[in-house]
Amino acid sequence: MQHVMKISDDVTVGPQPSEAELHELAGDGFKTVVNFRTDGEEDQPLSPAAEGDKVRAEGLEYLNVPVSMDSMGPDLVDQFREKYADLPKPVFAHCKSGKRAGAMVMMHVAVERGMSGDETLKQAEEMGFECDQPELKGMVKNYVDARTGKEGE
């Protein structure tokens, strides 16, 4: 699978896996798949429900947190973070390209580590995440700063 990024020992982010790649995830040691795609998105090989069936048939846990650029907000990130805490690790998290998944996971990791929003964006860039949407950058920075109390640092 191309453009896969290991964030930590607990979580790896990437683009939409094919059915064959979903099968390989269990063999690669993953315990959970998190899908950030919404139902009905373009270029979706499987609906989130069908992907869940396939992932569970492979013996893995599955979580679908539908995120669009319009719906991504602090409440949705908080909901993901709550559910993430209880998921068996390691986790493979994806959306179509990996951008939304990367943003959601980076916000979680940054808050856990007490980073500032600017530190989070810098680390994401160093890891190779291309955040070419100003509203996504702003969302990541503001969310992390608000949760870590590091606004303006």
Side-chain angles (χ1 to χ4, degrees):
M1 201 178 316
Q2 292 185 328
H3 307 294
V4 172
M5 203 142 324
K6 185 173 180 176
I7 306 297
S8 70
D9 288 341
D10 284 346
V11 63
T12 297
V13 172
Q16 172 74 53
S18 66
E19 284 193 55
E21 289 167 334
L22 286 172
H23 173 73
E24 293 169 10
L25 289 173
D28 291 342
F30 288 98
K31 305 272 189 254
T32 303
V33 173
V34 178
N35 179 357
F36 288 105
R37 298 194 76 178
T38 60
D39 204 16
E41 274 186 42
E42 291 179 11
D43 302 323
Q44 213 168 28
L46 296 168
S47 70
E51 180 178 309
D53 292 342
K54 173 91 172 142
V55 167
R56 285 188 281 274
E58 297 293 340
L60 303 175
E61 295 286 322
Y62 180 75
L63 174 64
N64 178 227
V65 181
V67 175
S68 68
M69 289 311 296
D70 294 333
S71 71
M72 185 184 281
D75 292 342
L76 194 58
V77 181
D78 288 342
Q79 288 171 26
F80 160 66
R81 293 185 64 227
E82 266 180 46
K83 292 174 183 172
Y84 178 84
D86 297 326
L87 296 175
K89 313 294 187 295
V91 171
F92 180 80
H94 78 85
C95 55
K96 180 179 178 181
S97 67
K99 286 181 185 176
R100 285 172 286 170
M104 294 290 282
V105 168
M106 287 299 295
M107 285 186 276
H108 169 72
V109 169
V111 173
E112 292 295 304
R113 293 179 181 168
M115 297 166 65
S116 72
D118 285 331
E119 288 171 329
T120 306
L121 292 172
K122 186 174 188 290
Q123 182 177 3
E125 190 176 305
E126 288 170 359
M127 294 177 82
F129 282 112
E130 293 177 29
C131 190
D132 52 6
Q133 297 164 313
E135 58 276 2
L136 183 57
K137 274 186 174 176
M139 163 70 200
V140 169
K141 180 179 175 4
N142 293 336
Y143 179 87
V144 172
D145 283 343
R147 297 303 182 278
T148 60
K150 299 206 173 191
E151 286 124 313
E153 284 187 21

